[in-house]
């Protein structure tokens, strides 16, 4: 598959409490993200930044994008290697460091996939498929911090 792929969405701030951004504490961080044909995603800032903890925040979405991209790339790598995956679950975590000037950056993300395969003979190839998945993951290839993998593989 070659070429360019384009993505579009609309982010709409819905947090005006009547005075706009007249002060740092005077507005809600509520955002609605829309992609045509998909359910709306209710988002906000993370709680430490005056956000609504019940809504998705950008840091959650970045971690989710990395986890899902690896999962989908991994399944493809397993099919290519003849590995039959029967279960996959990831407990991902990320570390963001603030710079003290109002900004910050992720230092790393660690994916912890727990994979179940159909046969014990598939375990070595199942482990190796994580490296291939990392090479194929569009999101991991787009970030400037390490995305590490601490995978376990077991037999169904």
């Amino acid at each position: 598959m070659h070429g360019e792929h384009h993505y579009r969405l609309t982010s709409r701030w819905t947090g005006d409490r009547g005075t706009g951004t007249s002060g740092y504490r005077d507005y809600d961080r509520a955002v609605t993200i829309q992609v045509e044909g998909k359910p709306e995603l209710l988002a906000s800032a993370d709680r430490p930044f005056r956000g609504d903890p019940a809504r998705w925040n950008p840091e959650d979405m970045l971690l989710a994008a990395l986890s899902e991209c690896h999962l989908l790339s991994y399944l493809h790598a397993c099919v290519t290697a003849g590995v039959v995956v029967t279960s996959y679950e990831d407990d991902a975590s990320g570390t963001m460091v603030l710079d003290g000037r109002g900004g910050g950056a992720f230092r790393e993300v660690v994916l912890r996939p727990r994979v179940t395969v159909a046969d014990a003979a598939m375990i070595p190839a199942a482990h190796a498929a994580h490296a291939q998945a990392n090479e194929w993951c569009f999101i991991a290839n787009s970030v400037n911090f390490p995305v590490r993998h601490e995978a376990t593989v077991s037999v169904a």
Side-chain angles (χ1 to χ4, degrees), residues 29-137:
R29 275 57 174 180
V31 175
T32 301
I33 300 171
Q34 298 169 301
V35 174
E36 187 175 331
K38 298 180 184 181
E40 292 182 341
L41 179 64
L42 301 180
S44 182
D46 194 9
R47 180 182 211 125
F49 309 109
R50 307 194 56 78
D52 181 345
R55 291 178 172 230
W56 285 84
N57 63 59
E59 297 80 14
D60 291 335
M61 289 189 280
L62 177 61
L63 186 59
L66 285 162
S67 179
E68 182 183 359
C69 187
H70 184 80
L71 182 158
L72 295 171
S73 298
Y74 180 77
L75 296 178
H76 177 75
C78 284
V79 167
T80 303
V83 174
V84 178
V85 175
T86 60
S87 175
Y88 182 113
E89 188 172 317
D90 182 17
D91 291 319
S93 64
T95 303
M96 185 178 73
V97 179
L98 300 179
D99 65 12
R101 300 183 311 265
F106 271 80
R107 178 177 32 206
E108 75 170 352
V109 161
V110 180
L111 306 179
R112 294 179 185 85
R114 289 184 312 280
V115 179
T116 305
V117 296
D119 187 275
M122 298 175 177
I123 291 176
H127 278 292
H130 284 289
Q132 181 65 66
N134 192 58
E135 288 180 26
W136 287 345
C137 177

